[in-house]
């Protein structure tokens, strides 16, 4: 967890307070202007009320050029960012025909499959010619090709579960699946920093939702013990079922889940475990099989394994891997399977080809090389950032590394200056993070060369000095290296 220094917290709160005060003052005068213009149709309530979109109008629009930057190439280690301009103080942005070639530190292209690949790309093009871009049907009608069946079997084999089911969108995999697994009378215990798709899925299930402190098995046990002892609200009957939901790598923190300890607690209290591996599958583990492989957990101990194809595999969609009984239940009850168009066949082929490269079934060792490179790149970059004095969240082996910014003025300053020096980064602020914990999220790829990483470190270091986000003293050169150089 982030421990915010008092001085930083005070200055950040003051900055937001100042923005809020001036925003309210501008809204006060805006009421008089709107009264004369009378934009609203008589008898209709305004769709966007003042307080409901205050944050967007008075804070987000000021720095919206730092978000949603369009690109004009594949999201490889370098990509083309479309230049934009504004004539109305950032209220609207206009695209130009110019692009800037930038180092990509924002995409989830962990293994480099999102760009052209010697094994994947020809097979994807072939599948496009054979099957077309879309099946134009749902899975239970005419939307199941032999590619879909092959991928489901391959995913089950890859993650070590008996069966799997595919979905066309990663977000929907969580938000549509959770209500099919549990409902009224059930209990969901969710990590406090779980993804929004999990939050919405839990809310839509009708089950009672309780939250435990982020990545804390001890607090999870306290919550489980209290809820089991108390039972359902009002009636105090035993819960019909209990599901504990965690993530393999937390996307905004870069932290690995304490999976062995959490599974031990779940087994003790007979609770099911639901593991979201959106950012970990394919990216960590000796053979890319995610946090279970990395942390030495038997996949049989995880009841439901969820993952997406949008990160390590360079495609789209998601999957659920579980027992054959659970998968059959989902195929008969999940709206995302019964009513949504199936995954695009070329996207399915991309995942099949990527997994075969990872497993070495393409006849080469490129998969092992990619896995070794993403691990080496991630650990090197994280280590160097910490040596420079940045506050970096997350664990070793994680390709996600947030750099804390805190102050709202530093969000656009860091993003714009990096872009000016041809390094594209992603900055994240409220509501994706708590109000005081704004950050820049760096995503490392196996496609990054050592020269790319050194350039990025040089730019980020200079921008960090300029913006003032090196919250810790920089690590001095090692004495041993200095002595060695002196002897030479």
């Amino acid at each position: 967890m982030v421990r915010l220094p008092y001085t930083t917290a005070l200055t950040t709160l003051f900055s937001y307070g100042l923005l809020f005060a001036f925003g309210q003052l501008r809204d006060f005068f805006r009421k008089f202007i709107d009264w004369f213009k009378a934009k609203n149709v008589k008898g209709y309530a305004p769709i966007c009320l003042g307080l409901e979109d205050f944050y967007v109008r008075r804070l987000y629009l000021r720095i919206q050029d730092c978000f949603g930057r369009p690109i004009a190439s594949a999201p490889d280690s370098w990509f083309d960012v479309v230049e934009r301009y504004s004539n109305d103080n950032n209220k609207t942005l206009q695209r130009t025909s110019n692009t800037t070639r930038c180092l990509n530190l924002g995409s989830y292209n962990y293994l480099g499959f999102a760009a052209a690949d010697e094994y994947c790309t020809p097979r994807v093009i072939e599948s496009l010619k054979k099957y077309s871009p879309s099946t134009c049907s749902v899975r239970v009608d005419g939307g199941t090709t032999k590619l879909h069946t092959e991928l489901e079997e391959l995913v089950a084999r890859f993650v070590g579960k008996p069966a799997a089911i595919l979905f066309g969108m990663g977000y929907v995999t969580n938000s549509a699946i959770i209500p099919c697994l549990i409902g009224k009378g059930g209990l969901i215990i969710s990590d406090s920093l779980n993804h929004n798709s999990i939050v919405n899925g839990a809310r839509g299930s009708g089950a009672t939702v309780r939250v435990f402190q982020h990545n804390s098995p001890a607090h999870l046990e306290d919550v489980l013990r209290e809820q089991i002892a108390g039972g359902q609200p009002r009636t105090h009957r035993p819960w019909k079922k209990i599901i504990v939901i965690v993530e393999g790598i937390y996307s905004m923190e870069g932290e690995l889940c304490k999976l062995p300890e959490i599974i031990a607690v779940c087994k003790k209290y007979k609770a099911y475990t639901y593991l979201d591996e959106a950012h970990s599958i394919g990216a960590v583990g000796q053979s890319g099989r995610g946090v279970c492989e990395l942390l030495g957990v038997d996949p049989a101990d995880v009841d439901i394994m969820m993952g997406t194809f949008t990160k390590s595999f360079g495609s789209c969609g998601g999957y659920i891997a579980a027992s054959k009984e659970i998968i059959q239940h989902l195929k008969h009850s999940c709206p995302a399977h019964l009513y949504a168009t199936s995954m695009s066949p070329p996207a399915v082929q991309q995942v099949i080809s990527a997994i075969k490269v990872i497993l070495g079934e393409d006849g080469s060792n490129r998969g092992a090389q990619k896995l070794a490179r993403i691990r080496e790149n991630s650990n090197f970059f994280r280590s160097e950032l910490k040596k420079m004095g940045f506050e970096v969240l997350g664990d070793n082996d994680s390709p996600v590394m947030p750099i804390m910014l805190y102050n709202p003025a530093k969000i656009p300053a860091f993003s714009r200056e990096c872009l000016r020096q041809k390094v594209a980064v992603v900055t994240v602020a409220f509501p994706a993070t708590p109000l005081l914990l704004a950050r820049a999220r760096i995503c490392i790829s196996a496609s990054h060369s050592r020269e790319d990483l050194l350039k990025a470190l040089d730019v980020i270091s200079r921008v960090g000095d300029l913006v003032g986000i090196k919250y810790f003293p920089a690590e001095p050169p090692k004495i041993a290296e200095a002595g060695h150089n002196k002897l030479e």
Side-chain angles (χ1 to χ4, degrees):
M1 296 293 288
V2 180
R3 294 183 179 179
L4 188 60
Y6 288 115
T7 305
T8 304
L10 187 63
T11 56
T12 303
L13 281 170
F14 177 78
S15 299
Y16 276 112
L18 201 63
L19 289 168
F20 182 81
F22 274 96
Q24 290 291 339
L25 187 64
R26 294 181 69 180
D27 273 6
F28 176 76
F29 288 106
R30 183 190 182 191
K31 289 180 181 178
F32 293 98
I33 298 173
D34 288 348
W35 186 79
F36 287 108
K37 290 183 177 180
K39 290 182 179 179
N40 293 330
V41 179
K42 189 173 182 180
Y44 287 83
I47 292 178
C48 297
L49 298 177
L51 288 176
E52 289 179 357
D53 67 339
F54 174 84
Y55 181 85
V56 173
R57 288 183 293 101
R58 299 307 182 197
L59 279 79
Y60 172 76
L61 289 182
R62 291 171 175 262
I63 60 172
Q64 70 164 324
D65 60 296
C66 299
F67 307 100
R69 289 172 177 151
I71 65 173
S73 66
D76 205 356
S77 55
W78 288 78
F79 61 3
D80 298 324
V81 179
V82 178
E83 296 178 7
R84 297 180 293 177
Y85 69 93
S86 176
N87 293 323
D88 54 6
N89 298 316
N90 249 20
K91 288 183 180 178
T92 59
L93 296 172
Q94 306 298 325
R95 298 184 185 182
T96 70
S97 58
N98 301 324
T99 61
T100 302
R101 192 71 174 167
C102 294
L103 179 59
N104 179 9
L105 295 181
S107 299
Y108 306 134
N109 184 24
Y110 296 142
L111 294 183
F113 284 119
D117 182 83
E118 61 188 71
Y119 182 83
C120 300
T121 305
R123 286 160 177 79
V124 171
I125 293 173
E126 184 182 342
S127 70
L128 175 61
K129 294 177 180 178
K130 183 177 180 179
Y131 293 101
S132 85
S134 174
T135 63
C136 297
S137 183
V138 299
R139 287 291 303 274
V140 295
D141 292 338
T144 299
T145 68
K146 68 176 185 179
L147 292 178
H148 293 82
T149 304
E150 180 183 353
L151 181 55
E152 287 178 338
E153 294 172 355
L154 185 57
V155 166
R157 175 163 65 91
F158 183 63
V159 302
K161 300 298 284 186
I165 183 174
L166 309 180
F167 298 94
M169 181 180 177
Y171 187 98
V172 168
T173 306
N174 275 328
S175 60
I177 282 296
I178 294 173
C180 296
L181 295 173
I182 191 169
K184 187 175 181 181
L187 172 66
I188 294 174
I189 303 182
S190 179
D191 187 287
S192 61
L193 296 183
N194 273 342
H195 191 263
N196 180 263
S197 59
I198 296 175
V199 174
N200 283 340
R203 288 174 177 171
S205 68
T208 300
V209 181
R210 295 291 180 265
V211 175
F212 69 96
Q213 293 173 5
H214 173 57
N215 223 4
S216 173
H219 189 245
L220 169 62
E221 183 168 9
D222 291 342
V223 173
L224 271 168
R225 188 187 298 114
E226 178 184 349
Q227 293 301 317
I228 291 173
Q232 297 183 40
R234 293 190 298 274
T235 64
H236 302 291
R237 293 175 181 172
W239 299 103
K240 293 180 179 178
K241 69 179 80 168
I242 302 174
I243 298 180
V244 175
I245 306 179
V246 294
E247 295 185 35
I249 292 179
Y250 291 89
S251 59
M252 289 298 169
E253 287 71 36
E255 293 178 355
L256 296 169
C257 171
K258 295 180 180 178
L259 192 58
E261 296 89 341
I262 287 173
I263 286 178
V265 173
C266 291
K267 282 185 174 182
K268 181 178 179 181
Y269 293 93
K270 302 299 184 288
Y272 293 108
T273 309
Y274 184 110
L275 175 64
D276 178 341
E277 288 218 82
H279 286 267
S280 54
I281 191 67
V284 297
Q286 189 66 31
S287 59
R289 287 178 165 87
V291 290
C292 287
E293 182 179 47
L294 180 67
L295 302 177
V297 173
D298 186 350
D301 291 333
V302 181
D303 300 289
I304 299 103
M305 300 178 74
M306 175 270 179
T308 64
F309 303 128
T310 54
K311 282 82 177 176
S312 298
F313 308 105
S315 186
C316 63
Y319 69 86
I320 292 289
S323 66
K324 291 181 179 179
E325 293 77 15
I326 292 176
I327 298 303
Q328 279 301 115
H329 166 70
L330 294 177
K331 286 182 176 181
H332 293 135
S333 63
C334 181
H337 180 78
L338 298 172
Y339 307 117
T341 303
S342 62
M343 272 184 73
S344 167
V348 175
Q349 180 61 61
Q350 168 67 25
V351 183
I352 293 172
S353 302
I355 293 178
K356 287 185 176 180
V357 172
I358 293 171
L359 294 175
E361 295 179 4
D362 64 328
S364 74
N365 66 341
R366 290 196 309 120
Q369 290 176 354
K370 285 177 177 288
L371 290 166
R373 197 176 302 123
I374 181 65
R375 185 165 54 249
E376 179 184 340
N377 286 354
S378 300
N379 292 338
F380 168 74
F381 204 81
R382 183 185 302 278
S383 173
E384 292 301 310
L385 286 175
K386 288 183 176 180
K387 289 177 183 178
M388 292 175 180
F390 292 102
E391 184 175 358
V392 184
L393 305 185
D395 298 315
N396 284 337
D397 289 348
S398 170
V400 181
M401 47 200 75
I403 301 174
M404 299 308 298
L405 301 176
Y406 296 120
N407 197 289
K410 295 180 180 182
I411 301 170
F414 182 80
S415 178
R416 290 166 181 165
E417 188 60 26
C418 283
L419 185 65
R420 193 181 69 82
Q421 300 192 37
K422 295 181 172 52
V423 173
V425 298
V426 170
T427 50
V428 188
F430 180 84
T433 66
L435 187 66
L436 303 184
L437 302 182
R439 64 201 67 180
R441 183 177 63 178
I442 306 297
C443 292
I444 298 300
S445 170
S447 64
H448 287 132
S449 66
R450 182 53 62 96
E451 290 73 23
D452 293 337
L453 299 181
L454 291 174
K455 173 182 171 54
L457 288 166
D458 178 57
V459 170
I460 290 174
S461 179
R462 284 189 277 110
V463 175
D465 289 328
L466 181 66
V467 177
I469 57 172
K470 292 184 177 180
Y471 295 104
F472 299 110
E475 183 177 309
K478 292 183 179 179
I479 298 176
E481 289 181 358
H484 179 70
N485 294 334
K486 188 176 182 181
L487 288 173
E488 290 180 345

